[in-house]
Amino acid sequence: MHQLRPSATQQGEAWLSNFRPSDTAHARLLIDSLHFVSSTSFRQRLSRHLHSLLADPSRVPGPAALYSVRSCELNETMFIDEKVPLVPATGGSELIVQNILRSTEQAFDTKVVSRQSWKLEHLRDRRVRSLVFVSDYAGSGDEAIDYAKAWLRNPTIRSWRSLKLIRLHLVLFAASTAALRRLKSSAVYDSVHTIHAGIDFESAPWEPAQRKAIRLICERYAAANTGGLGWGGSEGLLVFEHTVPNNLPNIVRQTKGRAQSGKWVPFFKHRTAPLELMDALADYRPLPNRQQQLQAVRQHRLAAATNLHSMSRPELELLVDLLAHAAGRRRHPEQLAPALRVPVPTAVTLTELAQRLGLLDEERRLTDSGWQELRKAKAKPRHIAGGLQGNSDPYYPQALKGSR
């Protein structure tokens, strides 16, 4: 399938002029590795993800109160000194998320509350069991952690959680590898759910030398006194139609920099993307390189076997690739998703399927059957070269075998 790459757009070609000829190839690889999400896709995917979670009481017990994650002041405490979880009218992505939450509440009737849950008394009266905080993206994890802490500073909320009367859940459209690690190790959330994991330098299907070179040009061409790898050094690669996250490398977002010509030509302009660029690249994502992904986990024979006898459908190919990554000790869905280039829920479904088929055990390690299937997939189809050759000429026997 042909798709227009960011480097082939008018803005992309102009942006590449900032770099020396020796750096252009790595700059092109950087912007062609960006993922673009349209507003329609964002709303639809996040809504479906929320509906799936809220419909399963084992994951999110009800009643649940939904809130859009927003920035919090230092030592802010929710419901004290007139601090409430309302999103200000000037909010950008927070307002979009809040609109999605209100639509979700209508679909679930009394099982979900959001419109009137701005007071602590309302949460008590409704006997809310889950606080569900929702955001579009976690690049460093700072904002989501600070938001949860603002709630937990409230002694009532802290008491309810200590007594296991309430649980805190974080729902994200996407999260970087570093942010997921921070969020899970922070212990402020009882569960973290994301649709897309990775989408950053760490999960990009680059060779180690390419990754090193891209980091170098991000630092070399960044404007003075700025962190070249994005907020907190989180090295993001995700772009929304409604916002350009600040964890993208600075050379992608900045309007001034160390261009070879002296004047920097921007690709984005701070936190916004030109409309014509988003129209051209709506829902663009780099096509996966299956061989590189398998070689990264040392499955060289599997990467070399291009016409595998057991791979008649893309689903089977994904399942075999999952076994290969599990053999390389990538076993958690949030590790498998970026490696397989699929959303986290899809990685969960594939993992559960492999377990039902007896290919993975409860710890997501390969079983004997799993190793056997992986060995089959590595084998190239046998081609028999010594068969009979057809000939249209008439056949005349040269000798007859006499009787004994």
Side-chain angles (χ1 to χ4, degrees):
M1 180 181 67
H2 175 74
Q3 57 178 355
L4 180 67
R5 295 185 176 187
S7 63
T9 62
Q10 183 178 351
Q11 291 91 338
E13 291 176 349
W15 180 77
L16 288 173
S17 68
N18 294 311
F19 302 91
R20 301 172 192 165
S22 58
D23 293 328
T24 303
H26 289 112
R28 179 180 288 108
L29 178 58
L30 171 62
I31 60 167
D32 285 345
S33 299
L34 296 175
H35 294 236
F36 290 75
V37 179
S38 68
S39 293
T40 301
S41 292
F42 171 70
R43 289 176 180 273
Q44 289 178 345
R45 291 187 218 169
L46 185 56
S47 294
R48 284 199 299 266
H49 190 47
L50 271 171
H51 280 235
S52 174
L53 290 170
L54 294 169
D56 186 352
S58 66
R59 303 173 79 184
V60 180
L66 313 182
Y67 301 94
S68 176
V69 174
R70 62 167 176 80
S71 298
C72 289
E73 302 171 6
L74 184 64
N75 296 323
E76 179 176 336
T77 302
M78 207 61 69
F79 304 117
I80 291 179
D81 294 332
E82 299 183 352
K83 300 295 183 182
V84 293
L86 278 169
V87 174
T90 55
S93 58
E94 298 94 339
L95 279 175
I96 295 173
V97 170
Q98 187 166 281
N99 289 335
I100 294 172
L101 300 186
R102 288 180 174 174
S103 299
T104 303
E105 179 189 18
Q106 293 173 356
F108 280 89
D109 195 21
T110 59
K111 195 177 177 183
V112 173
V113 296
S114 66
R115 289 178 186 270
Q116 298 175 340
S117 51
W118 313 125
K119 294 183 179 181
L120 191 60
E121 293 77 12
H122 183 72
L123 298 179
R124 182 185 289 110
D125 293 342
R126 292 294 305 273
R127 296 181 179 274
V128 167
R129 291 293 173 261
S130 293
L131 299 177
V132 182
F133 303 147
V134 185
S135 183
D136 57 351
Y137 186 56
S140 65
D142 289 342
E143 187 175 69
I145 290 172
D146 291 344
Y147 188 70
K149 286 181 176 178
W151 282 78
L152 293 173
R153 287 191 195 99
N154 185 294
T156 302
I157 297 293
R158 192 165 60 248
S159 173
W160 288 349
R161 192 186 188 212
S162 177
L163 294 170
K164 302 188 183 303
L165 298 176
I166 204 164
R167 299 176 69 190
L168 272 63
H169 308 268
L170 179 63
V171 179
L172 302 163
F173 181 87
S176 71
T177 307
L180 274 177
R181 279 198 293 260
R182 279 202 67 208
L183 288 164
K184 294 195 170 185
S185 64
S186 67
V188 296
Y189 287 104
D190 296 291
S191 67
V192 179
H193 308 273
T194 185
I195 303 174
H196 298 282
I199 315 184
D200 52 16
F201 285 21
E202 187 173 335
S203 63
W206 301 334
E207 299 291 341
Q210 292 174 325
R211 187 173 288 104
K212 181 179 179 181
I214 288 171
R215 284 174 173 148
L216 284 174
I217 66 169
C218 287
E219 298 284 2
R220 182 182 302 148
Y221 291 90
N225 302 318
T226 61
L229 300 175
W231 176 263
S234 48
E235 304 179 332
L237 292 172
L238 181 64
V239 181
F240 292 100
E241 185 174 350
H242 61 265
T243 187
V244 176
N246 64 358
N247 79 314
L248 284 170
N250 284 27
I251 59 173
V252 177
R253 299 181 295 113
Q254 66 193 16
T255 55
K256 296 180 181 179
R258 299 164 180 165
Q260 64 151 351
S261 61
K263 185 177 180 180
W264 187 263
V265 180
F267 188 61
F268 300 125
K269 294 183 179 179
H270 295 302
R271 303 299 297 272
T272 60
L275 290 176
E276 62 272 17
L277 183 64
M278 291 306 303
D279 287 342
L281 298 173
D283 292 321
Y284 164 89
R285 63 174 183 171
L287 294 174
N289 187 322
R290 182 168 178 259
Q291 288 188 335
Q292 281 186 358
Q293 293 166 3
L294 293 172
Q295 287 169 349
V297 288
R298 300 182 180 181
Q299 295 292 336
H300 304 295
R301 287 174 58 202
L302 185 57
T306 54
N307 297 308
L308 300 177
H309 61 276
S310 63
M311 295 185 180
S312 58
R313 297 202 309 270
E315 292 82 1
L316 288 176
E317 187 172 303
L318 270 177
L319 188 59
V320 172
D321 287 356
L322 180 141
L323 296 180
H325 286 286
R329 297 186 179 181
R330 287 177 178 169
R331 294 170 185 154
H332 196 280
E334 288 165 357
Q335 293 176 309
L336 291 166
L340 297 173
R341 285 291 187 267
V342 298
V344 174
T346 303
V348 171
T349 301
L350 284 169
T351 301
E352 292 173 348
L353 174 60
Q355 289 174 322
R356 287 199 302 272
L357 293 174
L359 306 176
L360 296 177
D361 63 18
E362 292 182 357
E363 301 297 323
R364 305 188 187 97
R365 294 173 300 196
L366 265 70
T367 62
D368 290 343
S369 297
W371 283 111
Q372 184 178 1
E373 288 300 320
L374 195 56
R375 283 192 291 270
K376 285 181 183 177
K378 289 179 180 180
K380 294 183 180 180
R382 181 182 298 176
H383 298 284
I384 300 175
L388 294 175
Q389 302 296 320
N391 195 316
S392 59
D393 294 338
Y395 169 71
Y396 298 98
Q398 301 298 314
L400 295 175
K401 186 176 182 181
S403 60
R404 292 183 177 180

